C-alpha cells in the first residue's frame, strides 16, 4: 500500500538510471550530521523500506515505556521507604507507581486499533509474546500498586497495604525492564540489535525517573535513597547506552540522526545534570535544587524513551539498516565456507 | 525427528512438521507457493484475483513512477504485490520495437496475426526473440524461445515478481501476537482471526519481510491467508488459479521444493546463471518459507531482505538479559537504602 508521502519519495527515485546498483536514499533532513559509518552501496527496491514501519503512535508507546519504568522503580522506592521508616518518601512513590501504571495502561489501550477488545490481551498466555507476558504482568502489578497507594492514603489496612507494597516491589523491576524486550522482539534493526543492553538502559532510565519523582515530591530529609538511586540509575542508563551503541554496528546510526539524535542529547544533558544536582542537593538540604534535579531526571528519562522509539522507526523506514547488515552477514558466512 | 509425538515449539531452525508442532496430530501435508519469477509477465492477475476473492479494499489509486508498479509493496490492503524492476542487464533478448514497424498507425497492427507468426516463421526476423537455429546457445533446442540473448544485446531486462506473505516456518508475527489472533492452520499456513485481533500492531514490526500491516480505518492487522477458505474446500488459492503463466504454483511444499530445484537446474543449464531460490531452505533464518521464490537477482533488488532471521530466535536471550537487568535495578535500589541513613 502506498501512502501519499511515500509516493513523493518514489517519484524522486524514478529519475535514477535503471538498474543502478546502489541504494537510493531519502533526502536527509538535519543537515551537517556525519554518518558514523560511510554509506555502503546496496540495492533496494526503489529505496522503499523492506519492513513495514511500526504503526504505534509515539506518544502512546514511548509514553508507555516511560511510565512503566517510572512505576516499576517507584515501587522499589516505596517498599524501601516502608522498610526503613520513611513515610514521606513512601507516599509519593506509591502514588507515583499507581498513577504511572494506570496512565501507561490507558496509553496502551488508546493505541490499540480496537480498544474495546483490550481484554483479548488476557485471552491466552504466550511466553513467545512479550506483549502477552507484559499484559499478565501488568494485570498482576497494577492492582497491587493501587492497593498499596490506597492503603497509604486511607491510613488503614496497614498489613495488606505493606504486603501489596512488597509484592509490587517484587514485580516492579520486571515491569520496568520487560518493555525493552517488547521493542527488541521485532525486526526493527535499531531495537532488535540492542536487545542485550536495552533492558539495562531501561532499568537505569526507570530508576532516574522514579528518583526524579521522589526528589520533586518528598522532603529532602527522607530523599537520600532517591538521590543515590538517581546517581546509580544515571550511570547505568548512560553507560549501558554507550555499550549498546558500540555493539549495534550500523543499527546505531539512527540514534545519531534527526529527531532521535536531538532527543538523545537532551536526555544525556538532563539525566547527567539532574543526577549531579541531585547528589549535591543532599548537602545543604536545599529543597529547590532537589526539585529542579527531580524535574530534570523525569524529563531526561522521557527524552530517552522517545529517542529510542524514534530511532527504531527511522531504522525501519530506511532499507539500508535491514539490507546492509544482512548482506554483510551473508558475506561473512560465505567467507567462512 | 518423529514429529508426531511432541515436536515441541521451536523458535528457530528446521521444523519438518509445523502443523504437528502447532498441535494438529493428523495434519494434511504442508502447502505453499512456489513463485517462479522467471516466467512472470507482470499481468497482475494475481493481485486482482486476490482482491476479488478476499474482498480486500482499494489500496490507493496513485501512479508511483516505479515502472508498472502502482501498489508499492505488501500491506493490509495489498496481499499480492507485483514488483517491476528495470535493469540494464541482458536477459532473454527483449528488444524494443519488436513488431512495431507500424507504430505510428497502431490500429493497423494486427496483434493476433503478429502473435501467430511468433515462433512459426521459418527464418526469424532480426527483431524476434528466437535465435536462428545455428546460433542457439548451448542446451537450448533450436527454434524455441531462448532465455539467453542470442547476440548479447543488453537494452533492458525487466524483472517482475509477485510477492506475498511467506507463511514462515517460524513466523515472528504469530510468535509475538498477544491475543492468539494469528494462528497456524492445519495446512501449515499463518492466518489472522479478524474477530480476535485487537489491533495492538505488534505483528507489524515483527515481520522481517514487511508483509502484515494494520488497516488504519478498522484498526486490525491483515495479510494473505493463503486462501484458507479455499484450501478448506480443496481449491487452490485465487492468485495461483489466476496466474496465466504458472509463475505462481501452489501445492504441497515438499513437491514444490523438488519442482523448484529442477527449474533452477534447467535455467542454469540454459545459461541463466542468475537464477536462484529464495526462502526454500529449511536452514535459513526463519526455518524456510511456506511461500518461496525463484529470483533472477539479489533479493534486495526485489525489496526482499537478503538474510531474514525470525526475531524470536533471540527471545530467550532477551528474557535473560531483561531478568538480569531487573535484578540490577532491584540491587541498585537496595544500594540506595542500605547506605547509612542520613
Ligand atoms: S512473519 Fe511476515 S512473512 Fe512470515 S508469516 Fe508472518 S506476515 Fe507472513
Ligand atoms: S495486531 Fe492483531 S494479529 Fe497483530 S499482534 Fe496484535 S492482536 Fe495479533
Amino acid at each position: 500500500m502506498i501512502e501519499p508521502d511515500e509516493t513523493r519519495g518514489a517519484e524522486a527515485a524514478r529519475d535514477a538510471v535503471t538498474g543502478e546498483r546502489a541504494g537510493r536514499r531519502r533526502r536527509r533532513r538535519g543537515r551537517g550530521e556525519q554518518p558514523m559509518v560511510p554509506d555502503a552501496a546496496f540495492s533496494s527496491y526503489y529505496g522503499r523500506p523492506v519492513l513495514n514501519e511500526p504503526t504505534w503512535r509515539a506518544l502512546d508507546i514511548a509514553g508507555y515505556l516511560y511510565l512503566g519504568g517510572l512505576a516499576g522503580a517507584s515501587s522499589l522506592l516505596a517498599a524501601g521507604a516502608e522498610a526503613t521508616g520513611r513515610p514521606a518518601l513512601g507516599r509519593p512513590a506509591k502514588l507515583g507507581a499507581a498513577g504511572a501504571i494506570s496512565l501507561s495502561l490507558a496509553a496502551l489501550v488508546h493505541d490499540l486499533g480496537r480498544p474495546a477488545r483490550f481484554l483479548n490481551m488476557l485471552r491466552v498466555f504466550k511466553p513467545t509474546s512479550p506483549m502477552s507476558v507484559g499484559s499478565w504482568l501488568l494485570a498482576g502489578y497494577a492492582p497491587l500498586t493501587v492497593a498499596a497507594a490506597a492503603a497509604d492514603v486511607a491510613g488503614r489496612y496497614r498489613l495488606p497495604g505493606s504486603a501489596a507494597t512488597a509484592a509490587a516491589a517484587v514485580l516492579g523491576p520486571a515491569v520496568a525492564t520487560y518493555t525493552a524486550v517488547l521493542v527488541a522482539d521485532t525486526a526493527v534493526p535499531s531495537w532488535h540489535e540492542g536487545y542485550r543492553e536495552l533492558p539495562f538502559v531501561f532499568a537505569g532510565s526507570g530508576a532516574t525517573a522514579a528518583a526524579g519523582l521522589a526528589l520533586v515530591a518528598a522532603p529532602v530529609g527522607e530523599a537520600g535513597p532517591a538521590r543515590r538511586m538517581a546517581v546509580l540509575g544515571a550511570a547505568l542508563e548512560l553507560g549501558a547506552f554507550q555499550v549498546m551503541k558500540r555493539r549495534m554496528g550500523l543499527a546505531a546510526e539512527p540514534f545519531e540522526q534527526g529527531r532521535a539524535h536531538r532527543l538523545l542529547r537532551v536526555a544525556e544533558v538532563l539525566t547527567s545534570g539532574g543526577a549531579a544536582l541531585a547528589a549535591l542537593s543532599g548537602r545543604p538540604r536545599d529543597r529547590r535544587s532537589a526539585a529542579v534535579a527531580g524535574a530534570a531526571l523525569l524529563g531526561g528519562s522521557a527524552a530517552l524513551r522517545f529517542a529510542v522509539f524514534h530511532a527504531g522507526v527511522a531504522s525501519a523506514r530506511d532499507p539500508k539498516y535491514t539490507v546492509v547488515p544482512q548482506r554483510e552477514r551473508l558475506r561473512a558466512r560465505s567467507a567462512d565456507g | 525427528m518423529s514429529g508426531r509425538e511432541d515436536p515441541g515449539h521451536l523458535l528457530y531452525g528446521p521444523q519438518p512438521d509445523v502443523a504437528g508442532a502447532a498441535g494438529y496430530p493428523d495434519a494434511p501435508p504442508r502447502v505453499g507457493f512456489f513463485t517462479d519469477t522467471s516466467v512472470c509477465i507482470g499481468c497482475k492477475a494475481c493481485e486482482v484475483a486476490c482482491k476479488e476473492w478476499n474482498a480486500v479494499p482499494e489500496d490507493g489509486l496513485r501512479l508511483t513512477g516505479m515502472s508498472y508498479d502502482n501498489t508499492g509493496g505488501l500491506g493490509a490492503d495489498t496481499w499480492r504485490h507485483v514488483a517491476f524492476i528495470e535493469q540494464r542487464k541482458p536477459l532473454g533478448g527483449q528488444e524494443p520495437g519488436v513488431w512495431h514497424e507500424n507504430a505510428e498507425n497502431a490500429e493497423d497492427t494486427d496483434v493476433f496475426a503478429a502473435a501467430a507468426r511468433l515462433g512459426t516463421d521459418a527464418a526469424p526476423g532480426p527483431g524476434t526473440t528466437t535465435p536462428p537455429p545455428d546460433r542457439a546457445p548451448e542446451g537450448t533446442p533450436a527454434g524455441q524461445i531462448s532465455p539467453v540473448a542470442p547476440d548479447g544485446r543488453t537494452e533492458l531486462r525487466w524483472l517482475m515478481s509477485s510477492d506475498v506473505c511467506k507463511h514462515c516456518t517460524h513466523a515472528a508475527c504469530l510468535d509475538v501476537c498477544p491475543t492468539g489472533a494469528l494462528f497456524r492452520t492445519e495446512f501449515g499456513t499463518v492466518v489472522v482471526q479478524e474477530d480476535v485481533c485487537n489491533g495492538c500492531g505488534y505483528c507489524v514490526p515483527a515481520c522481517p519481510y514487511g508483509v502484515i500491516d494494520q488497516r488504519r480505518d478498522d484498526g486490525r492487522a491483515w495479510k494473505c491467508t493463503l486462501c484458507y477458505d479455499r484450501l478448506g474446500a480443496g481449491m487452490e488459492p485465487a492468485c495461483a488459479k489466476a496466474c496465466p503463466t504458472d509463475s505462481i504454483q501452489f501445492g504441497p511444499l515438499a513437491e514444490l521444493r523438488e519442482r523448484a530445484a529442477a527449474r533452477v537446474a534447467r535455467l542454469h543449464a540454459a545459461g541463466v546463471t542468475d537464477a536462484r531460490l529464495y526462502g526454500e531452505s529449511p536452514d535459513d533464518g526463519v526455518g524456510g518459507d511456506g511461500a518461496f521464490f525463484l529470483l533472477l537477482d539479489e533479493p534486495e533488488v526485489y525489496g526482499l531482505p537478503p538474510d531474514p532471521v525470525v526475531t524470536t530466535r533471540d527471545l530467550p536471550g532477551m528474557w535473560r538479559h531483561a531478568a538480569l537487568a531487573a535484578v540490577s535495578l532491584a540491587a541498585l535500589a537496595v544500594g540506595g537504602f542500605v547506605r547509612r541513613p542520613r
Side-chain angles (χ1 to χ4, degrees):
Chain A
M1 186 169 83
I2 292 191
E3 304 293 335
D5 57 326
E6 291 174 42
T7 317
R8 249 173 277 128
E11 270 163 7
R14 171 179 58 178
D15 299 332
V17 183
T18 52
E20 189 198 347
R21 301 287 311 233
R24 294 157 203 146
R25 311 278 317 283
R26 276 150 200 265
R27 273 155 298 154
R28 209 183 280 151
R29 275 174 278 260
R31 283 155 293 146
E33 283 159 8
Q34 289 296 323
M36 288 163 69
V37 186
D39 272 0
F42 71 103
S43 307
S44 75
Y45 186 65
Y46 299 92
R48 292 180 54 86
V50 171
L51 305 177
N52 282 339
E53 82 178 71
T55 52
W56 295 332
R57 278 166 289 213
L59 191 61
D60 287 339
I61 295 306
Y64 175 76
L65 305 178
Y66 169 63
L67 293 166
L70 173 58
S74 289
S75 287
L76 285 171
L77 272 184
E82 186 125 325
T84 58
R86 290 181 170 92
L89 172 64
R91 163 128 349 148
K94 286 176 199 171
L95 287 174
I101 210 64
S102 310
L103 267 178
S104 94
L105 279 173
L108 181 66
V109 174
H110 180 244
D111 199 63
L112 293 180
R114 287 285 171 109
R117 291 189 185 169
F118 168 66
L119 284 178
N120 279 8
M121 288 285 192
L122 303 179
R123 191 178 157 262
V124 288
F125 176 74
K126 273 176 79 174
T128 61
S129 169
M131 198 178 281
S132 168
V133 173
S135 299
W136 284 101
L137 192 59
L138 292 190
Y141 172 77
L144 288 174
T145 60
V146 172
D152 191 297
V153 171
R156 296 163 60 194
Y157 309 111
R158 282 279 146 81
L159 215 58
S162 296
T165 307
V170 170
L171 295 181
V175 171
T177 57
Y178 104 86
T179 47
V181 181
L182 181 76
V183 296
D185 194 25
T186 59
V188 174
S190 294
W191 290 343
H192 182 86
E193 295 307 319
Y195 77 82
R196 293 175 191 84
E197 297 84 9
L198 204 55
F200 293 92
V201 173
F202 280 16
S205 171
T208 54
L213 182 65
L215 284 170
V216 169
V220 176
E222 285 193 12
R227 288 193 288 274
R228 286 186 285 276
M229 199 181 192
V231 174
L232 295 172
L236 179 62
E237 171 191 319
L238 300 175
F241 206 98
Q242 289 310 317
V243 177
M244 178 173 89
K245 275 204 303 189
R246 217 159 308 133
R247 283 208 14 193
M248 285 173 99
L250 188 63
E253 201 181 87
F255 286 105
E256 297 304 326
Q257 289 170 354
R259 201 180 331 178
H261 172 75
R262 288 193 296 277
L263 284 165
L264 208 53
R265 286 298 90 79
V266 168
E268 280 167 4
V269 168
L270 287 180
T271 301
S272 51
L277 195 58
L280 295 177
S281 72
R283 298 303 140 107
R285 310 247 142 155
D286 178 358
R287 185 81 191 80
R288 201 151 351 120
S289 66
V292 172
L297 289 166
L298 281 166
S301 176
L304 180 109
R305 308 303 177 115
F306 279 87
V308 169
F309 182 88
H310 286 297
V313 172
S315 75
R317 226 174 244 166
D318 190 332
K320 177 168 86 165
Y321 301 110
T322 307
V323 171
V324 173
Q326 293 189 13
R327 250 302 136 217
E328 275 164 11
R329 197 156 70 208
L330 284 175
R331 219 170 278 138
R333 209 182 299 151
S334 69
D336 290 347
Chain B
M1 187 175 193
S2 72
R4 283 290 126 112
E5 270 69 71
D6 179 24
H9 184 89
L10 299 173
L11 290 174
Y12 187 64
Q15 169 59 277
D17 184 16
V18 274
Y24 299 96
D26 286 306
R30 181 179 180 187
V31 296
F33 289 127
F34 165 42
T35 305
D36 178 355
T37 70
S38 70
V39 292
C40 178
I41 54 170
C43 69
K44 302 190 192 179
C46 50
E47 283 190 15
V48 175
C50 177
K51 283 220 174 246
E52 287 275 337
W53 180 264
N54 295 298
V56 179
E58 173 262 318
D59 54 4
L61 295 169
R62 290 179 204 92
L63 298 178
T64 62
M66 292 154 48
S67 192
Y68 275 49
D69 178 1
N70 292 314
T71 33
L74 294 175
D77 299 330
T78 312
W79 299 357
R80 267 278 176 195
H81 161 244
V82 183
F84 291 77
I85 300 123
E86 297 174 20
Q87 292 181 326
R88 299 197 175 183
K89 213 169 183 181
L91 173 88
Q94 293 124 322
E95 290 171 31
V98 179
W99 300 115
H100 280 214
E101 297 93 337
N102 298 330
E104 311 79 74
N105 28 11
E107 60 273 30
D108 291 356
T109 310
D110 183 346
V111 286
F112 294 105
R117 282 201 301 280
L118 264 174
T120 57
D121 286 11
T128 62
T129 52
T130 310
D134 54 319
R135 285 178 55 200
E138 206 60 50
T140 308
Q144 290 189 8
I145 291 178
S146 157
V148 177
D151 51 2
R153 293 184 65 167
T154 58
E155 266 82 7
L156 173 74
R157 135 168 134 153
W158 205 359
L159 303 180
M160 295 140 205
S161 168
S162 180
D163 196 8
V164 70
C165 168
K166 317 299 178 288
H167 296 274
C168 311
T169 300
H170 300 293
C173 62
L174 192 164
D175 282 346
V176 304
C177 173
T179 62
L182 273 152
F183 77 111
R184 179 82 57 185
T185 73
E186 65 272 34
F187 302 104
T189 56
V190 178
V191 174
V192 196
Q193 302 173 79
E194 299 309 341
D195 51 342
V196 177
C197 173
N198 69 7
C200 74
Y202 202 5
C203 48
V204 176
C207 171
Y209 298 97
V211 171
I212 194 164
D213 209 349
Q214 196 178 37
R215 221 172 254 170
R216 303 304 137 119
D217 51 352
D218 96 345
R220 293 174 294 175
W222 299 85
K223 73 169 192 72
C224 157
T225 68
L226 217 132
C227 286
Y228 190 36
D229 50 347
R230 293 175 62 97
L231 296 194
M235 294 194 292
E236 69 176 321
C239 55
K241 182 91 184 160
C243 178
T245 64
D246 261 355
S247 173
I248 300 173
Q249 301 176 28
F250 165 80
L253 198 53
E255 194 185 309
L256 292 178
R257 283 179 176 149
E258 271 169 40
R259 222 186 285 167
R263 173 71 181 157
V264 173
R266 195 140 30 91
L267 285 171
H268 283 181
V272 187
T273 48
D274 279 343
R276 79 211 56 199
L277 296 182
Y278 174 81
E280 106 295 359
S281 167
D283 298 311
D284 72 13
V286 298
D289 292 332
F292 64 98
F293 300 80
L294 186 154
L295 303 178
L296 296 174
D297 203 335
E298 308 284 13
E300 57 265 37
V301 170
Y302 298 87
L304 296 165
D307 184 31
V309 173
V310 58
T311 180
T312 32
R313 177 193 67 178
D314 301 322
L315 190 58
M318 292 180 210
W319 284 129
R320 260 199 310 280
H321 282 87
L324 255 178
V327 170
S328 317
L329 177 56
L332 187 154
V334 171
F337 281 99
V338 288
R339 291 267 298 273
R340 157 182 57 82
R342 287 160 195 270

